[in-house]
Amino acid sequence: MEPQVAELKQKIEDTLCPFGFEVYPFQVAWYNALLPPTFHLTLPGPTLAFLVLSTPAMFDRALKPFLQSCHLQRLTDPVDQCVAYHLGRVRENLPELQIEVIADYEVHPNRRPKILAQTAAHVAGAAYYYQRKDVEADPWGDQHISGVCIHPRYGGWFAIRGVVLLPGIEVPDLQPTKPLDCVPKRADRITLLEGFNFHWRDWTYRDAVTPQERYSEEQKAYFSTPPAQRLAFLGLAQPSKDPSSRPAELPFTVHRPKNPQNPSRVRGWLSPHVSPPASPGPSLP
């Protein structure tokens, strides 16, 4: 790895890795080469970028402390807001650089994604993006089959959170790192893609490789909760619909109903010793 890339990677890792994130460098050209022009990043090909993903540890190291802090604003998804906060810290900690951050959920006004996260993860060498084209003589006929990334250490127990772009920093000599093909057999790829597309609620596709770490039952229960119900699940007060009724930045607030159906859910996010029961399916975090 080039010294400049290694130095910048280390600085970004110093900001993110203690909180359960991983960082992988890539060139914009590698990403653009796999996509039609509509999805290209509009930067010179040699521009340096970093793929950011979260490991299972992010839940305890980043999200829980974030919820106990005063950073929670009137957004609908605490995890997205937590990730945005930590990605923002990268910019704050490198003020001498021009930095653009694209979160995985960001879209253009026409709803087209600003970044195809799984493609970015593949070209950065972070996780292998298994798609239908990776199965010879596939058995699915006219069915639509979505692809899925598998991490060599975490299997499917991770999430791609976004990219950090460094306009003006070009690294034409950076050599690509191929993602590890950790599901090389055709039969296993079929099982993986069928599990992801048709049985994702049972979580089993995430064990396509034996992971070093999985999501906790508490974490699974959170991601199994419909997004509109997650604030209530956490025991958080719902954001006001009237923007004039509250200040722009709100402290973390615990909502304690008079007769909660499951009081452990309210306490659990303030105490690592309390975990809600397992829930049957994820929302693909």
Side-chain angles (χ1 to χ4, degrees):
M1 186 181 298
E2 295 181 27
Q4 182 186 26
V5 177
E7 180 182 359
L8 290 170
K9 180 175 183 285
Q10 185 62 59
K11 289 181 178 179
I12 296 173
E13 286 180 336
D14 289 345
T15 300
L16 295 178
C17 288
F19 298 94
F21 297 95
E22 291 184 349
V23 177
Y24 298 82
F26 67 97
Q27 279 186 28
V28 165
W30 306 346
Y31 173 85
N32 287 349
L34 296 183
L35 298 170
T38 304
F39 291 98
H40 283 186
L41 295 170
T42 55
L43 291 169
T47 300
L48 178 62
F50 290 92
L51 183 285
V52 178
L53 61 82
S54 63
T55 72
M58 186 276 289
F59 195 75
D60 285 325
R61 294 182 186 177
L63 181 62
K64 286 184 178 181
F66 181 82
L67 294 178
Q68 294 172 320
S69 74
C70 295
H71 299 297
L72 194 65
Q73 302 175 18
R74 286 178 288 127
L75 295 183
T76 57
D77 192 306
V79 171
D80 286 350
Q81 187 175 337
C82 174
V83 171
Y85 167 74
H86 283 282
L87 292 178
R89 290 183 64 243
V90 173
R91 185 185 291 109
E92 293 172 2
N93 291 344
L94 296 172
E96 71 279 9
L97 299 178
Q98 180 183 354
I99 294 177
E100 295 180 13
V101 175
I102 305 177
D104 69 295
Y105 54 82
E106 291 188 65
V107 295
H108 293 285
N110 63 358
R111 308 305 297 170
R112 175 168 49 83
K114 290 187 176 181
I115 190 77
L116 297 183
Q118 297 201 103
T119 299
H122 187 92
V123 300
Y128 200 105
Y129 184 22
Y130 292 97
Q131 303 175 72
R132 183 172 186 165
K133 66 182 180 62
D134 296 312
V135 177
E136 184 178 355
D138 75 69
W140 299 301
D142 295 333
Q143 289 179 291
H144 174 74
I145 300 295
S146 297
V148 62
C149 276
I150 295 296
H151 191 285
R153 294 192 305 279
Y154 299 110
W157 302 95
F158 76 104
I160 304 162
R161 296 303 181 183
V163 298
V164 175
L165 304 169
L166 279 67
I169 296 182
E170 298 187 1
V171 287
D173 297 326
L174 181 64
Q175 297 299 306
T177 300
K178 292 184 178 180
L180 181 63
D181 181 2
C182 44
V183 188
K185 296 181 179 179
R186 176 180 181 273
D188 292 338
R189 291 180 178 183
I190 290 174
T191 298
L192 167 64
L193 290 173
E194 290 186 347
F196 177 69
N197 281 271
F198 308 131
H199 310 292
W200 57 268
R201 290 181 182 276
D202 66 12
W203 303 89
T204 56
Y205 81 88
R206 297 177 187 264
D207 288 330
V209 300
T210 302
Q212 292 181 359
E213 186 178 0
R214 295 180 175 89
Y215 290 172
S216 65
E217 292 301 323
E218 181 180 38
Q219 193 168 175
K220 288 164 67 177
Y222 171 79
F223 287 121
S224 298
T225 301
Q229 301 173 22
R230 287 177 181 176
L231 287 178
F233 176 88
L234 301 182
L236 296 175
Q238 297 291 330
S240 171
K241 294 182 180 180
D242 180 3
S244 64
S245 65
R246 294 187 181 186
E249 295 192 8
L250 302 178
F252 168 70
T253 304
V254 178
H255 172 62
R256 292 184 174 85
K258 294 181 179 179
N259 295 299
Q261 293 182 347
N262 188 350
S264 69
R265 284 188 173 183
V266 176
R267 295 192 301 270
W269 296 85
L270 301 179
S271 170
H273 303 294
V274 180
S275 296
S279 189
S283 60
L284 300 183

